[in-house]
Amino acid sequence: MSVFTRRPFSERTATWLEQSGLHPLLARLYAARGLESPEELSLELKNLIPPPKLKNCLSTATLLADILEKKESMLIVADYDCDGATACAVGLRGLRMLGGPDTPIQFLVPNRFTMGYGLTPEVVELAAQQTPKPKYLITVDNGIASEAGVERARELGMEVIVTDHHLPGDRLPKATAIVNPNQPGCTFPSKALAGVGVMFYLLVALRAELRQRGKYTNETQPKVENLLDLVALGTVADVAQLDRNNRVLVSNGLKRIRAGISQPGIQALFQAAARDPRKANTFDLGFAIGPRLNAAGRLADMTLGIRLLLTDNSDEAMTLAQELDRINRERRVIETGMQETALAHLSEDQLDGTMAQRSSICLWNPEWHQGVVGIVASRLKERFNRPAIVFAPDGNTGEELCGSGRSLSGFHLRDALDIVSKREPGLILKFGGHAMAAGLTIRKNDFEKFDACFQEVANSLLTDELLERRHAHDGALAPSEFTPEIGDLLAEEIWGQGFPQPVFYGEFEITQQSLMKEKHLRLMVRPLGGDTSYNQLTQKPLTAVWFNRTQTLPATAKLAYRLVTDRYQGQARVQLMIEAHDETTLA
């Protein structure tokens, strides 16, 4: 069952925000997302939480300043997703900015199919073989759970600096330094920093330390702010909560992209995705640019993506971006096949009634691709409104399964896996992640046992209320608000996880319906109810699209939708992107 609820907001706060100069519609939307005063509207860099509040940030910056002065060799060990790739690029570019172009620094990305996640002992062995052998390993977007890897690095004469944002396990690795807002004892107010955000903070602190040592003045210091386009991309693509601190980072990164002064690699990705960087928004970063960069880590090697983010040559950037675009198209084909197989399997469960009794989904198939399981898990979670974990054979013996899971709000996935591991020691070989997403490895022969145990934990923690499909919306739009200008206004704002893109709700007359590409519903609609002056404003009905829906709608329907501006041959027009259909009579 679906439940449609309007986001509550304070009329008083909305009025206050409007009086400060905010558009009345935005004032209402911002009030519904928890803003309480006009001061919170400012997303200037000066409003960032200061680096000293991030545990170990200053002491680690001091250590890095010493390393730069001594020209000691460093190697960044990156993760193979978009956050890891951007964090690696920010680290490399930033350390070379601050230490000079001859700074001895390299990077390494583990092969996700053969070496697993994080700073494993195997990755450390590979790092020790680099020339020159690094004295310091710096992890980005990983490392907080890498006890064995840190220990092996010490044995091989290398020190480890961990920069991460994931939740730690029961014990921290014995690293030389750890910077992570989610480590015990860290009182940093924003626990939502992505891995790239942590690295950016460390660079800001390092620059301040180098200023204090007299290497730079305020006038001569390198502009690490020039890396904020990378920070914005990694933050949005990692679906980090967009609290105010992250919105400051993302807003300033988007300003650089819109102004045409972003890294050549990001400009090339926009071109490959046929998106206009002058109108760049969080939707572009999350659904067009991020997936193309992620494709390298899913199907090939994220080294390709990092090379793109590091190059200053626009021709090389375009060549690499086109290759990533090709890989991303290949990823879509693989994903479609896996999803069809999964849905065919689950349809059998629906027919015999077992699906209705399940509060979680666990699937695996010997033909599935390890790099795409997370996307398929996300699709299944959305479709069935259940936590979903999808597994594929590992890249080595095939006797182990590598899984990726996605969860619902209110069901902490990493904590659920922790309960499973404590109830059945040894069942999960390794796991990590956070509330909404996690990865794990199990033995192939243990799949059914894991499925049963995870299902048991899910049954105990998930309530009927959590399993209800809930659609939060922002109420109805006034007839005068169905304009391209409103669509543009909404597109310019910083929406995302925890600060959701506006979804409106209203009743419509459906005047026409057809299918696009045999899988998307295209509609012509007219708003009903309330002020009928809309019909005097325009004779034409509005275009609406419902992606991945083939079932037609009744002649009148209550719809939840996003308002966007569509541009075609120089003409701007309003378009509704349908999110859901309320089949009840409730408002």
Side-chain angles (χ1 to χ4, degrees):
M1 180 182 169
S2 294
V3 178
F4 290 75
T5 54
R6 179 169 179 170
R7 290 188 181 94
F9 69 95
S10 161
E11 292 276 5
R12 182 180 176 186
T13 300
T15 301
W16 194 10
L17 294 174
E18 185 180 342
Q19 288 171 348
S20 73
L22 198 61
H23 187 282
L25 176 60
L26 289 181
R28 188 180 97 204
L29 296 173
Y30 273 27
R33 282 151 184 77
L35 264 69
E36 295 180 349
S37 69
E39 289 73 35
E40 293 178 73
L41 295 172
S42 173
L43 298 181
E44 294 177 28
L45 279 175
K46 66 181 182 182
N47 294 305
L48 277 179
I49 300 165
K53 294 195 175 183
L54 182 59
K55 183 178 180 180
N56 298 336
C57 190
L58 297 191
S59 59
T60 306
T62 301
L63 171 61
L64 283 172
D66 293 341
I67 293 169
L68 291 178
E69 283 183 0
K70 296 173 186 173
K71 296 289 182 186
E72 291 174 313
S73 58
M74 297 171 281
L75 183 139
I76 293 180
V77 180
D79 186 21
Y80 36 69
D81 68 358
C82 193
D83 185 20
T86 52
C88 181
V90 166
L92 273 158
R93 283 184 174 276
L95 289 168
R96 283 175 182 156
M97 266 187 200
L98 295 165
D102 60 340
T103 300
I105 185 166
Q106 311 166 71
F107 76 90
L108 175 67
V109 190
N111 185 308
R112 78 187 296 163
F113 309 116
T114 58
M115 292 187 175
Y117 169 78
L119 188 71
T120 61
E122 295 84 355
V123 172
V124 172
E125 300 275 357
L126 188 58
Q129 295 168 25
Q130 305 300 307
T131 304
K133 178 185 173 183
K135 182 168 182 183
Y136 289 91
L137 302 182
I138 303 172
T139 71
V140 290
D141 193 32
N142 74 92
I144 197 64
S146 302
E147 281 186 89
V150 170
E151 188 59 38
R152 183 61 182 142
R154 290 176 122 194
E155 292 169 1
L156 294 174
M158 297 180 289
E159 295 187 50
V160 179
I161 297 170
V162 170
T163 75
D164 201 354
H165 70 122
H166 292 96
L167 298 171
D170 294 333
R171 290 187 311 231
L172 294 178
K174 294 178 181 175
T176 303
I178 297 176
V179 184
N180 181 338
N182 290 301
Q183 68 177 304
C186 184
T187 56
F188 192 70
S190 172
K191 301 299 182 182
L193 269 184
V196 68
V198 175
M199 176 48 76
F200 179 76
Y201 259 79
L202 193 50
L203 291 176
V204 173
L206 172 58
R207 184 175 66 177
E209 174 64 23
L210 293 174
R211 269 201 321 269
Q212 203 167 15
R213 295 185 184 197
K215 182 168 183 180
Y216 299 115
T217 65
N218 285 333
E219 290 72 34
T220 63
Q221 66 183 6
K223 295 185 181 300
V224 295
E225 299 84 1
N226 291 355
L227 303 173
L228 281 167
D229 54 344
L230 295 167
V231 178
L233 173 56
T235 300
V236 173
D238 210 50
V239 201
Q241 289 277 335
L242 291 190
D243 59 12
R244 187 189 184 192
N245 205 61
N246 274 343
R247 291 205 314 283
V248 169
L249 293 171
V250 171
S251 174
N252 284 277
L254 278 172
K255 281 178 186 173
R256 297 193 63 78
I257 297 171
R258 291 168 181 166
I261 51 174
S262 59
Q263 316 300 326
I266 288 185
Q267 292 181 39
L269 282 170
F270 268 87
Q271 195 172 334
R275 298 275 176 158
D276 184 355
R278 293 169 300 177
K279 296 185 178 298
N281 56 40
T282 49
F283 190 87
D284 291 329
L285 298 183
F287 294 95
I289 310 307
R292 282 168 172 78
L293 195 57
N294 268 329
R298 293 189 186 284
L299 300 192
D301 181 353
M302 188 45 103
T303 301
L304 186 69
I306 295 173
R307 279 176 54 210
L308 169 70
L309 299 179
L310 289 175
T311 186
D312 290 320
N313 183 301
S314 55
D315 290 337
E316 182 187 8
M318 200 60 239
T319 300
L320 292 170
Q322 287 169 345
E323 175 62 9
L324 288 175
D325 188 59
R326 184 197 63 76
I327 295 171
N328 191 51
R329 289 196 300 272
E330 182 185 343
R331 185 270 302 168
R332 284 181 188 156
V333 172
I334 294 170
E335 177 198 334
T336 299
M338 288 171 61
Q339 197 172 327
E340 287 173 353
T341 304
L343 291 174
H345 178 85
L346 291 171
S347 67
E348 295 173 14
D349 288 351
Q350 284 179 297
L351 287 173
D352 65 20
T354 57
M355 187 66 190
Q357 276 133 53
R358 293 188 63 93
S359 53
S360 66
I361 295 170
C362 289
L363 293 174
W364 86 278
N365 186 293
E367 303 299 319
W368 285 351
H369 195 294
Q370 187 184 330
V372 188
V373 289
I375 301 178
V376 176
S378 181
R379 301 282 189 262
L380 295 177
K381 184 266 290 187
E382 291 295 331
R383 186 178 184 110
F384 294 99
N385 206 49
R386 299 284 187 275
I389 303 178
V390 177
F391 293 89
D394 74 342
N396 297 316
T397 65
E399 293 306 306
E400 292 179 357
L401 300 179
C402 296
S404 186
R406 299 294 183 269
S407 191
L408 310 173
S409 292
F411 181 77
H412 197 298
L413 188 53
R414 189 204 169 277
D415 286 358
L417 293 175
D418 192 42
I419 294 169
V420 172
S421 73
K422 287 180 168 64
R423 287 185 183 176
E424 296 286 346
L427 178 59
I428 302 178
L429 301 177
K430 54 189 174 184
F431 71 96
H434 44 83
M436 301 300 286
L440 69 158
T441 303
I442 62 173
R443 296 177 192 85
K444 183 169 69 176
N445 294 336
D446 284 339
F447 173 77
E448 290 184 2
K449 184 178 180 182
F450 171 80
D451 183 16
C453 194
F454 183 72
Q455 174 69 16
E456 191 178 302
V457 172
N459 283 341
S460 67
L461 296 177
L462 282 164
T463 63
D464 290 342
E465 186 178 356
L466 287 174
L467 289 171
E468 282 182 332
R469 191 180 294 277
R470 294 188 164 268
H471 298 283
H473 63 79
D474 294 290
L477 281 176
S480 59
E481 291 173 328
F482 287 96
T483 66
E485 292 74 23
I486 292 293
D488 287 338
L489 181 75
L490 296 173
E492 289 171 4
E493 299 304 305
I494 308 300
W495 313 111
Q497 186 71 20
F499 203 79
Q501 193 168 20
V503 173
F504 303 103
Y505 177 92
E507 189 169 11
F508 293 86
E509 174 192 359
I510 314 296
T511 63
Q512 190 178 320
Q513 304 188 59
S514 60
L515 285 182
M516 298 190 305
K517 299 181 181 178
E518 299 183 356
K519 62 178 182 178
H520 308 304
L521 192 59
R522 186 177 186 274
L523 310 162
M524 302 304 289
V525 303
R526 291 185 192 277
L528 295 174
D531 183 357
T532 58
S533 62
Y534 170 80
N535 292 319
Q536 278 78 56
L537 292 174
T538 176
Q539 297 291 316
K540 296 179 181 177
L542 302 170
T543 303
V545 178
W546 194 340
F547 286 112
N548 300 309
R549 160 111 178 186
T550 56
Q551 184 182 352
T552 57
L553 292 170
T556 61
K558 290 181 179 177
L559 302 173
Y561 61 93
R562 291 184 291 110
L563 185 80
V564 300
T565 299
D566 179 48
R567 283 180 168 80
Y568 182 68
Q569 295 183 342
Q571 294 293 315
R573 58 177 184 168
V574 166
Q575 192 170 68
L576 310 188
M577 312 304 289
I578 308 300
E579 300 273 317
H581 172 211
D582 186 354
E583 299 179 27
T584 72
T585 56
L586 299 176

